[in-house]
């Protein structure tokens, strides 16, 4: 596997492919046959100039919320991804299962944050949620507002 000398990450994690999605889009990504399909909400697209520019939030198999860099493929917790998640991603048009419905609540919450400060606020809020093992059933608008008020 060829790695970037600057970051020691696989070069395919740095792919500068165009991102045809917007922050707030729910997308389906998979690494079949190695991992099942997953749904994530894109928190931020950024400038797409590095491996950490595109941020996501998703629900783990245990129901916890995680937020991290999309291009690193962290959504696949049980396997190391073989190709960039960008090769197998599409906008999700269906209805999420009940264990992932929290993504709809996150999407609605995102719409209420002014665009000028959205990137910073979402990063801080979801870093806190992810680092503190917050379960998806705890994620309500009131909870996210309380985290924002505490941190920002």
């Amino acid at each position: 596997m060829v790695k970037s000398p600057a970051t020691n990450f696989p070069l395919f994690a740095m792919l500068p492919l165009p991102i045809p999605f917007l922050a707030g889009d729910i997308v389906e990504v998979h690494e079949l046959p190695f991992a099942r399909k997953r749904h994530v909400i894109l928190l931020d697209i950024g400038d797409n100039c590095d491996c950490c520019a595109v941020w996501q939030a998703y629900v783990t198999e245990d129901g916890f919320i995680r937020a991290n860099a999309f291009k690193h493929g962290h959504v696949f917790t049980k396997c190391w991804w073989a190709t960039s998640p960008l090769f197998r991603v599409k906008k999700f048009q269906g209805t999420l299962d009940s264990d992932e419905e929290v993504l709809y609540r996150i999407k609605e919450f995102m719409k209420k944050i002014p665009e000028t400060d959205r990137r910073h606020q979402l990063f801080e809020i979801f870093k806190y949620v992810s680092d503190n093992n917050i379960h998806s059933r705890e994620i309500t608008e009131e909870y996210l507002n309380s985290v924002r008020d505490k941190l920002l």
Side-chain angles (χ1 to χ4, degrees):
M1 177 181 317
V2 180
K3 294 189 174 189
S4 163
T7 63
N8 202 33
F9 279 105
L11 284 178
F12 58 75
M14 305 280 282
L15 286 175
L17 295 174
I19 306 294
F21 308 110
L22 301 173
D25 283 349
I26 296 173
V27 298
E28 180 178 273
V29 61
H30 70 84
E31 191 61 27
L32 296 173
F34 307 106
R36 70 179 182 88
K37 292 180 182 179
R38 301 295 298 271
H39 300 104
V40 306
I41 186 165
L42 299 176
L43 299 174
D44 188 49
I45 302 300
D47 59 10
N48 198 28
C49 289
D50 66 35
C51 57
C52 295
V54 182
W55 270 79
Q56 67 184 354
Y58 60 93
V59 183
T60 67
E61 290 88 356
D62 300 330
F64 294 97
I65 299 295
R66 293 290 177 261
N68 47 42
F70 178 78
K71 289 184 181 182
H72 289 295
H74 294 300
V75 70
F76 304 114
T77 56
K78 304 277 192 242
C79 75
W80 182 258
W81 73 114
T83 61
S84 169
L86 292 173
F87 286 126
R88 296 182 175 181
V89 62
K90 65 180 180 180
K91 190 168 182 178
F92 182 68
Q93 301 292 336
T95 302
L96 293 170
D97 291 337
S98 60
D99 60 330
E100 292 183 315
E101 284 181 347
V102 65
L103 300 181
Y104 294 136
R105 295 194 299 274
I106 294 170
K107 183 177 183 122
E108 289 305 308
F109 176 76
M110 289 175 66
K111 291 178 183 177
K112 297 177 181 174
I113 300 175
E115 198 169 325
T116 54
D117 199 32
R118 187 177 296 153
R119 180 178 196 176
H120 171 70
Q121 287 191 33
L122 290 174
F123 177 82
E124 293 299 327
I125 292 166
F126 284 96
K127 182 178 183 327
Y128 176 88
V129 166
S130 187
D131 289 349
N132 288 282
N133 290 322
I134 305 302
H135 199 276
S136 61
R137 64 180 166 262
E138 296 178 55
I139 302 298
T140 63
E141 183 175 350
E142 295 78 20
Y143 176 81
L144 293 173
N145 281 325
S146 72
V147 171
R148 180 175 57 191
D149 293 344
K150 179 170 41 175
L151 297 176
L152 305 171

